[in-house]
Amino acid sequence: MDVERDDAATARIRLEDVAREAGVAPSTASRAFTRPDRVNFQTVERVMDAAARLGYRREPPRGAAAIPAASSRAVNLLVQDLANPFFADLLKGAVSQARSAGYLVTLGDAEESATMERTHLERLTGDANGVVAAARWTSDAELREMARRRPLVLFNREVAGISSVVAGDADSSRHLIEHLHALGHRKIVYCAGPHNAWSNVLRQKAQDEVAQALGIELITTGPFKPLIGQGAAAAALAWARKPTAIIGYNDQLAVGILRHLISNGVDVPGDVSVVGYDNTYGSDFVHSGLTCVDAPVEQAGRAAVDLLLARMAGERTVHQLRLASGLQVRGSTGPASTSPSSAPVLSAVRR
């Protein structure tokens, strides 16, 4: 049963009350808000459910930069990392669709931080007409509470009761594994993304199913941050398993893996093939080009804004879209190696 609370009552709810309701220590409840990556996922969900029931609203952390109020004709787009070219296409699609409807798009950058993500979402669900969010850290319970207060559409994540758009589907991972299988690869390492990234779970599940059906040994390592700088560590761990192919969670990680392999004398694709996800800007520049899933990110940005504008106009039906992806084959994949490489053991330190 939903209970409405007035502002005065909500203001009296403290973190200690949430902790008591969730059956955890106040320090654990605090970490569930500020560092959810250091708390068991089920515990985070329990704390957020308790906070939603009590109507608890956490104040932004002291020293956090103020986020200006959005225009009365603006929608907000929250991304994880502005430096990641993956989000450039999302922004392009969102801006184009919003402009055609007479809206501006204001942009928030979570900086791959749970604290910044929550700070942005809490401010923006109060200021903007609606929000399109690539929300990684915020719990399902919190997102449902935010969606009750303001129109919200999720990108690359699905939560029951909230409209969403996913740039890719299970078939994209199937096409990737089948491509490697056709080249003779039977031992593959997947360098996983963040453990709380919904798209990582989708990709890993689909890969496991296809690999098992095709008789491929699929080994998962990680998790890794979706950054080029993580490529050295990912490459070292993957290469130690002696695979004939390595899959990176996204293009950024895959490019870092490819660069580190080559700098250490590994022949790509002669010794090992490397593939990624997304087909972001620059994936065709590295080495002989990176083979990757071609995610329709710009199309997803347009679709997400369409769903958001419909919600703002009173639409109550929940739509969860998964857009089909293609496969962009380039020079980083080739026939599986039949002889062991003479390349040395890889260090996890970038050269």
Side-chain angles (χ1 to χ4, degrees):
M1 177 178 178
D2 292 335
V3 178
E4 293 187 2
R5 298 175 180 270
D6 58 30
D7 291 340
T10 299
R12 291 194 293 270
I13 301 298
R14 301 175 302 164
L15 182 64
E16 289 78 6
D17 300 317
V18 175
R20 189 179 304 110
E21 177 76 7
V24 300
S27 59
T28 301
S30 177
R31 282 195 299 275
F33 282 101
T34 60
R35 296 300 302 271
D37 53 317
R38 295 190 175 183
V39 181
N40 179 277
F41 180 77
Q42 287 81 6
T43 301
V44 173
E45 285 289 314
R46 196 161 71 247
V47 171
M48 298 310 163
D49 283 336
R53 287 195 301 273
L54 297 176
Y56 176 71
R57 296 283 299 279
R58 183 175 177 82
E59 289 297 317
R62 291 179 182 178
I67 301 174
S71 161
S72 60
R73 292 285 292 180
V75 295
N76 193 272
L77 174 64
L78 175 67
V79 302
Q80 282 299 314
D81 180 9
L82 277 176
N84 187 338
F86 173 76
F87 291 107
D89 285 340
L90 180 69
L91 176 61
K92 183 178 179 181
V95 168
S96 174
Q97 205 68 7
R99 184 190 298 121
S100 67
Y103 281 80
L104 297 174
V105 173
T106 58
L107 185 64
D109 182 6
E111 301 174 18
E112 296 284 355
S113 159
T115 300
M116 287 302 297
E117 178 176 298
R118 285 205 176 87
T119 299
H120 277 283
L121 282 174
E122 288 180 3
R123 295 282 182 86
L124 296 170
T125 51
D127 292 337
N129 286 273
V131 180
V132 173
R136 175 181 301 157
W137 307 91
T138 309
S139 71
D140 290 1
E142 274 189 298
L143 290 171
R144 281 191 286 266
E145 174 61 24
M146 291 174 181
R148 283 194 288 268
R149 302 201 307 265
R150 187 72 65 185
L152 173 67
V153 172
L154 299 177
F155 170 69
N156 267 12
R157 179 173 173 180
E158 292 179 353
V159 173
I162 303 178
S163 290
S164 58
V165 180
V166 175
D169 54 17
D171 281 345
S172 62
S173 292
R174 178 172 62 82
H175 295 324
L176 196 61
I177 297 293
E178 287 177 345
H179 168 66
L180 293 174
H181 180 267
L183 290 171
H185 296 279
R186 299 296 183 267
K187 186 174 183 179
I188 301 171
V189 170
Y190 172 54
C191 298
H195 68 87
N196 56 351
W198 186 89
S199 56
N200 182 66
V201 176
L202 178 70
R203 291 168 188 177
Q204 190 168 340
K205 181 176 183 294
Q207 288 174 19
D208 286 341
E209 291 175 354
V210 180
Q212 184 175 4
L214 295 175
I216 293 173
E217 180 183 0
L218 180 64
I219 303 166
T220 299
T221 61
F224 300 98
K225 293 181 180 180
L227 306 171
I228 290 177
Q230 288 274 283
L237 284 176
W239 183 247
R241 302 299 186 95
K242 297 180 169 38
T244 61
I246 300 172
I247 303 173
Y249 162 71
N250 69 344
D251 286 348
Q252 298 294 289
L253 184 60
V255 166
I257 291 169
L258 190 152
R259 286 179 175 175
H260 193 65
L261 289 170
I262 292 173
S263 69
N264 281 273
V266 178
D267 180 11
V268 178
D271 294 326
V272 65
S273 291
V274 178
V275 298
Y277 281 85
D278 300 334
N279 195 28
T280 52
Y281 178 79
S283 59
D284 55 340
F285 299 159
V286 60
H287 191 45
S288 55
L290 178 69
T291 293
C292 52
V293 169
D294 187 5
V297 182
E298 184 177 340
Q299 180 186 350
R302 293 194 297 268
V305 169
D306 275 344
L307 290 180
L308 183 65
L309 295 177
R311 297 290 289 182
M312 290 162 56
E315 170 69 56
R316 290 294 172 261
T317 303
V318 173
H319 299 278
Q320 295 189 327
L321 309 179
R322 293 189 184 183
L323 307 182
S325 299
L327 181 65
Q328 182 66 57
V329 178
R330 298 192 179 100
S332 67
T333 51
S337 174
T338 57
S339 58
S341 171
S342 59
V345 175
L346 266 64
S347 165
V349 179
R350 284 186 294 171
R351 290 188 172 185

